[in-house]
Amino acid sequence: MIRGSIAAIVTPMNASGELDDEGLARLVDFHLRQGTHGLLVAGTTGESATLDFHEHIGLIRRVVDCVQGEIPVIAGTGSNCTREANELSLAAKQAGADACLLITPYYLRPPQHGLYAHFEAIARAVDIPQILYNVPARTCCELSVETVARLSRIANIVGIKDATGDLQRVRLLVERCAPGFALYAGDDRSALDTMLLGGVGCMSVTANIAPRAMAEIYEAVRRGDVRTAMKLDNRLRVLHAALAVQSNPIAAKWLLHQMGLIGPGIRLPLTWLSDEHHAVLLDVLSSLPSHTP
C-alpha cells in the first residue's frame, strides 16, 4: 500500500507553455531530498486537462525515470471517456507507474450504476493498482459511499482520494469499504483529520511548497504523536488558504517559480498569478520553515 504524503506535483513549463524537462528534474529531486513519500503526476494540479496524450504519458515516463524507484509514482489517468481512461491507464502501466488515479467522469453527470460500470471496466481492462478520485467541486459528479464500497471489493481498485473535506463521509468510507482499502485525503485542510480517522495519507497540493512539513505530519500520525502533527498542521493553515487564492495550480506554480524550482509557465485557459496576490503569497512563503530548496 502506498502511504504518506503524496505530492500532487505541478507540471513545469516554460514561459511559452512548453513542458520543461529540467524544471521537472529539479522538482522531483527536491521532493526526494525533502522526504516526500510518493508523487502524483498528471493530476489536476499537473494540468492534465491541457496535456495531449503523448505529453501525458511522456511526463509520467520522465517522472518514473527521475525517481529511479526511490518512491512510488501514481499517474493520473482518468477521463470522462471510459475508452480513453483505459488507454491512458495501460500506457501509464507500460511507462512504469506504480498505480493510477482515476477521476470521476466530468461534465456527463452519469448515474451511480454508470460510475460503477466505468471504474469496473477500467479495473478489468488494466492490471495495475487503481485509486478512485472523488472531487465533486470540480467534476459536478460525486461517487456515493455505497458505490465506493462496492468498488472497493474489486481486487485492483485499492483506494480512493476523497477531496470533499467531509469528515462524516470519511467515517462512512472507513466503516463500509473492504478491509485494506486505502483512503487518501485530497483536501489539505482536512488531511490531518482524515488520517486520524483512518486515512493512510494525503495527495497534497501544499506538499508542492512544504513537502517536508507535510511528510512530517504523516510521520507524526504514524507514530501516534498527535500533538506534533497538530502543531505542524496549524503552521501550514495559512499556506493551505493561500494556495486557493486562484484556481489550482496557479498559486502553487507561482510560488515554486519564486523558489527557483520551475519556470514561469502555465497553459491557457489558466493564467499566471494576478499581481494583487503577489505580496500576500511572498509573506506566506517567507514565514514557512525551511521553504528554500
Side-chain angles (χ1 to χ4, degrees):
M1 184 185 294
I2 300 171
R3 298 175 177 268
S5 174
I6 300 157
I9 59 171
V10 306
T11 298
M13 299 173 184
N14 60 28
S16 61
E18 299 303 313
L19 301 192
D20 175 10
D21 285 348
E22 292 183 3
L24 182 65
R26 285 194 301 272
L27 193 61
V28 171
D29 181 65
F30 175 55
H31 283 286
L32 294 176
R33 289 186 286 109
Q34 293 288 315
T36 293
H37 299 106
L39 296 177
L40 167 60
V41 58
T44 304
T45 308
E47 296 173 80
S48 57
T50 69
L51 302 174
D52 67 34
F53 186 91
H54 297 291
E55 288 176 324
H56 195 129
I57 300 307
L59 182 65
I60 295 165
R61 186 176 292 110
R62 286 192 290 274
V63 171
V64 170
D65 288 345
C66 288
V67 165
Q68 290 290 300
E70 290 193 41
I71 56 176
V73 175
I74 301 171
T77 58
S79 172
N80 58 352
C81 172
T82 307
R83 181 178 297 180
E84 182 178 45
N86 280 341
E87 293 171 354
L88 282 168
S89 299
L90 179 59
K93 177 185 176 181
Q94 293 169 342
D98 296 284
C100 290
L101 181 75
L102 292 149
I103 197 166
T104 51
Y106 42 88
Y107 185 72
L108 298 173
R109 302 177 69 184
Q112 291 298 312
H113 64 268
L115 291 172
Y116 180 88
H118 170 79
F119 289 113
E120 181 189 39
I122 302 165
R124 303 301 185 202
V126 187
D127 184 19
I128 189 173
Q130 297 178 15
I131 301 167
L132 311 172
Y133 181 17
N134 187 55
V135 56
R138 281 187 176 266
T139 63
C140 296
C141 175
E142 182 162 14
L143 271 170
S144 71
V145 171
E146 291 73 20
T147 301
V148 177
R150 288 180 64 205
L151 288 166
S152 73
R153 269 74 187 176
I154 297 173
N156 62 323
I157 297 181
V158 299
I160 183 170
K161 174 186 177 182
D162 193 274
T164 63
D166 181 348
L167 296 180
Q168 179 58 27
R169 178 181 165 90
V170 168
R171 293 183 181 93
L172 291 173
L173 288 170
V174 170
E175 175 186 317
R176 297 183 186 178
C177 289
F181 187 74
L183 174 60
Y184 303 90
D187 168 57
D188 282 305
R189 294 167 297 182
S190 60
L192 174 57
D193 288 330
T194 297
M195 287 187 279
L196 292 174
L197 289 170
V200 302
C202 59
M203 297 190 190
S204 169
V205 179
T206 297
N208 277 281
I209 312 303
R212 187 178 301 279
M214 289 301 295
E216 287 175 350
I217 289 172
Y218 168 76
E219 294 293 348
V221 172
R222 185 183 61 81
R223 64 177 182 266
D225 187 358
V226 177
R227 182 176 179 180
T228 295
M230 292 179 67
K231 182 178 179 181
L232 288 165
D233 185 61
N234 285 335
R235 294 176 71 181
L236 292 179
R237 290 285 166 180
V238 66
L239 178 57
H240 297 333
L243 289 171
V245 295
Q246 289 190 303
S247 297
N248 182 45
I250 291 174
K253 278 197 145 182
W254 189 85
L255 284 170
L256 286 167
H257 179 57
Q258 300 306 306
M259 294 163 66
L261 285 167
I262 67 171
I266 199 163
R267 282 189 177 174
L268 290 171
L270 297 178
T271 54
W272 205 233
L273 184 73
S274 300
D275 291 349
E276 66 263 28
H277 300 299
H278 290 191
V280 171
L281 286 182
L282 285 174
D283 284 345
V284 170
L285 186 63
S286 66
S287 71
L288 295 175
S290 303
H291 68 267
T292 55

